[in-house]
Amino acid sequence: MTSEHTDPQDRLIIFDTTLRDGEQAPGCSMTLREKLRVGNALAELGVDVIEAGFPAASPGDFESVQRLAEELEGPVICGLARCQAQDIERATAALAPAKRKRLHVFVATSAIHREYKLNMARQEILKRAVESVQMARQHFDDVEFSAEDAARTELDFLTEIVTAVIDAGATTVNIPDTVGYTAPAEFLAVFKHLRENVPSIDKAILSVHCHNDLGMAVANSLAAVQGGARQIECTINGIGERAGNCSLEEVVMAVRTRNDLFPYATGIDTTRLYPLSRMVSSVTGLHVQRNKAIVGENAFAHEAGIHQHGMLKNAETYEIMRPQDVGISRTNLVLGKHSGRHALRERISDLGFDLDEKQVGAVFAEFKKLADSKKEVFDSDIEALVLHGNVHGAGPWVLEEMHVSAGTGRSSTASVRLRDDEDQVVEEAAVAAGPVEAVFTALELATGIRPELKDFDIRSVSVGEDAQGDVSVTVSYEERLYRGQGLETDVIEASAKAFLHALNRIARTKAMHPAPASRDARRGAA
């Protein structure tokens, strides 16, 4: 955690939008249970504001915002709304249970959005923005306004609308680079211009929300801070629309590590960054790239001999941060089949996970199976066991048995045996061009669900010929995307479990919820 300061001007507000903008990334939609899990972890991390969702986008979004508002304590719970009366009413209802709450309204301001998306003139947009802020203030003391595509908005109009919404009662004004177009020096000048030309600028907090289309989201956010922004909007692992958002872990550690350039404090417990990064990766199915700053597997790895020599002399020769500061244990303890529950529990704790005895027991059982099938169990293997143990929900189907036959120059066959939550057994077999296709077809026949496979990804969890295969699949069913994950040393079995995980999600959705409204309405602010 960065050093504490008493002056509010030295405090940076961390606004996390993983559950709203992050979830908008294709294939990243989360179940309510997953949102609650991530939301609680964000609260423990110490973020100041959690943007819980867009209540007007769908009944599912409304429910998730409402539940997060009911259950989360600590951070301000924020809901997004277009500058429209019906959106503001829905968000007001969803946020009603929150102890601390904020309404975030937005409207596009750039010339290209005015002409092609809104078909509105400047003064029409200005009027709508002011009226929406005034309406929001009738229900909320804390109101944020975003000028969508601000980075491409004429400075004179941006200055005019920022002045107007602050006078109307906006307590935070967000200047987003919605399409990741700007550059640091240019964005710094925008914030300086607003601070010098908006008479009432000290009555509101300036916020920044950057996308990463040109790879400059973090740099642009830090430039905005130097220009006067005191709130940064960001997501875990930088997930979000297109190339994503400003990465929370990167911007927070940049401020902490270069406090000489950015002399500000955050309330973030940085030792929770790595575990939370892995949780979000597990929930969304988006793997963290190995060379990702701060939380990638290679972020604190050293292979070159000259680097290793320097590290042995003094870690600061090649590390500008301590791995422990972001929740990564320096040592890579290798466990095996003779390791006991206590050793595993200690290692789980070292990796930053807090499990109860029942959860440790479940991971220990899987660990023993894994240790029997491979020589060495690495940190990444244990991490995967912990995360995958929390990913899979209840049935209705469990894979009891699977047989696969494949060979060069001939078709592959697969048979599966499933048991459902009513203890009924179903067996099916299929023939296909390859073993994975045969398994997937057999599972479709057994469950009666035939989705369209959109994405299939396999990665090695650790090293060696006996490494676990982490399989992620994305399927489309009735115009919705569903994700599944599987983990085994046998990649065919991992593929089967991942596909069945997705089928189970489809079955649960069909049983409990109607298909949600189109996600197109979610796309916007920032």
Side-chain angles (χ1 to χ4, degrees):
M1 191 176 297
T2 52
S3 58
E4 295 297 329
H5 297 265
T6 56
D7 187 345
Q9 284 298 310
D10 291 339
R11 179 71 155 78
L12 288 180
I13 297 168
I14 300 300
F15 177 113
D16 183 272
T17 184
T18 302
L19 298 177
R20 199 279 298 172
D21 201 334
E23 201 219 6
Q24 287 180 195
C28 283
S29 59
M30 305 179 199
T31 64
L32 175 57
R33 185 174 65 174
E34 289 168 340
K35 286 187 176 182
L36 290 170
R37 186 171 159 225
V38 173
N40 277 292
L42 288 168
E44 293 173 356
L45 180 70
V47 302
D48 300 286
V49 184
I50 294 176
E51 189 165 46
F54 193 164
S58 72
D61 270 35
F62 180 93
E63 181 187 8
S64 63
V65 173
Q66 190 175 55
R67 284 287 302 278
L68 286 159
E70 290 171 349
E71 298 192 20
L72 295 188
E73 294 186 4
V76 172
I77 306 302
C78 178
L80 183 69
R82 290 167 295 190
C83 283
Q84 297 178 7
Q86 61 268 32
D87 275 28
I88 293 172
E89 291 166 2
R90 288 291 284 170
T92 299
L95 291 167
K99 293 180 180 178
R100 305 174 65 207
K101 53 195 172 186
R102 172 186 296 185
L103 185 61
H104 180 188
V105 296
F106 75 93
V107 67
T109 55
S110 67
I112 192 168
H113 279 248
R114 295 196 305 266
E115 179 179 357
Y116 292 103
K117 188 175 83 169
L118 300 178
N119 191 27
M120 293 171 65
R122 281 187 179 191
Q123 291 308 306
E124 292 178 280
I125 290 172
L126 185 66
K127 182 173 182 289
R128 178 174 292 186
V130 167
E131 290 176 348
S132 297
V133 170
Q134 290 172 336
M135 182 183 297
R137 280 304 302 263
Q138 294 175 14
H139 306 283
F140 296 85
D141 293 328
D142 190 354
V143 174
E144 177 170 340
F145 171 81
S146 279
E148 186 186 2
D149 204 21
R152 294 192 296 174
T153 299
E154 306 91 331
L155 267 180
D156 63 330
F157 182 48
L158 185 62
T159 303
E160 183 180 8
I161 200 165
V162 168
T163 300
V165 296
I166 292 175
D167 291 343
T171 51
T172 298
V173 177
N174 182 38
I175 310 299
D177 181 19
T178 305
V179 293
Y181 179 74
T182 194
E186 182 179 48
F187 216 33
L188 171 63
V190 170
F191 279 81
K192 283 188 173 181
H193 177 88
L194 293 174
R195 290 210 60 84
E196 293 169 0
N197 292 278
V198 175
S200 53
I201 195 68
D202 290 334
K203 294 181 180 179
I205 293 169
L206 274 179
S207 178
V208 58
H209 180 128
C210 292
H211 279 259
N212 205 39
D213 297 70
L214 293 176
M216 293 189 284
V218 171
N220 286 332
S221 297
L222 292 171
V225 169
Q226 290 180 318
R230 290 298 176 266
Q231 175 177 282
I232 300 176
E233 305 192 5
C234 44
T235 63
I236 300 297
N237 296 335
I239 64 172
E241 291 276 11
R242 304 180 312 280
N245 289 267
C246 172
S247 162
L248 184 150
E249 58 275 7
E250 292 180 24
V251 77
V252 166
M253 290 308 294
V255 170
R256 176 190 172 111
T257 305
R258 293 307 310 272
N259 210 233
D260 56 327
L261 294 179
F262 310 103
Y264 311 107
T266 73
I268 299 298
D269 179 358
T270 62
T271 63
R272 294 180 179 271
L273 289 173
Y274 182 79
L276 182 50
S277 164
R278 287 308 185 263
M279 177 196 291
V280 170
S281 175
S282 171
V283 165
T284 61
L286 288 181
H287 300 307
V288 177
Q289 66 193 62
R290 284 183 171 271
N291 64 330
K292 169 81 163 64
I294 313 301
V295 293
E297 289 182 40
N298 291 350
F300 295 94
H302 307 273
E303 184 171 340
I306 190 170
H307 285 212
Q308 292 176 348
H309 178 73
M311 286 292 297
L312 289 171
K313 296 293 185 181
N314 187 322
E316 291 185 11
T317 54
Y318 288 102
E319 285 185 352
I320 60 173
M321 299 166 282
R322 298 190 317 149
Q324 293 89 342
D325 291 338
V326 300
I328 300 175
S329 177
R330 179 181 296 276
T331 57
N332 185 22
L333 179 62
V334 179
L335 301 178
K337 64 181 180 179
H338 299 298
S339 300
R341 182 190 296 259
H342 178 73
L344 179 64
R345 186 191 301 111
E346 289 296 315
R347 196 65 195 133
I348 290 171
S349 178
D350 287 344
L351 289 170
F353 297 103
D354 183 17
L355 305 187
D356 59 32
E357 283 304 310
K358 183 178 179 181
Q359 292 170 317
V360 171
V363 174
F364 184 66
E366 294 300 315
F367 163 74
K368 281 295 187 180
K369 293 178 187 177
L370 178 62
D372 281 335
S373 65
K374 61 180 304 198
K375 296 176 183 178
E376 297 176 326
V377 180
F378 296 93
D379 286 354
S380 51
D381 291 310
I382 297 167
E383 179 185 285
L385 291 177
V386 171
L387 293 171
H388 280 262
N390 284 291
V391 164
H392 295 264
W397 295 291
V398 174
L399 180 64
E400 284 200 336
E401 195 172 305
M402 180 182 75
H403 295 283
V404 179
S405 175
T408 304
R410 63 187 179 92
S411 298
S412 299
T413 61
S415 62
V416 297
R417 175 187 173 96
L418 304 183
R419 186 178 298 274
D420 68 17
D421 49 14
E422 296 180 354
D423 208 34
Q424 299 296 310
V425 173
V426 60
E427 296 181 345
E428 287 289 350
V431 179
V436 171
E437 183 184 2
V439 169
F440 285 7
T441 303
L443 289 171
E444 290 176 344
L445 292 171
T447 61
I449 299 175
R450 291 177 174 271
E452 179 185 358
L453 183 65
K454 291 292 188 181
D455 187 56
F456 178 76
D457 179 62
I458 301 177
R459 75 179 184 101
S460 173
V461 170
S462 55
V463 296
E465 295 179 356
D466 56 359
Q468 290 186 99
D470 184 357
V471 176
S472 176
V473 301
T474 302
V475 301
S476 175
Y477 186 80
E478 294 182 349
E479 299 185 349
R480 285 189 58 168
L481 293 177
Y482 296 85
R483 198 176 54 258
Q485 291 175 269
L487 181 73
E488 290 291 340
T489 53
D490 182 336
V491 294
I492 303 298
E493 186 177 355
S495 301
K497 289 187 173 180
F499 195 65
L500 184 60
H501 182 204
L503 296 177
N504 274 327
R505 282 186 155 184
I506 294 171
R508 291 198 300 272
T509 300
K510 289 176 66 177
M512 294 186 296
H513 299 291
S518 169
R519 292 170 63 84
D520 289 346
R522 303 185 189 195
R523 311 199 182 273

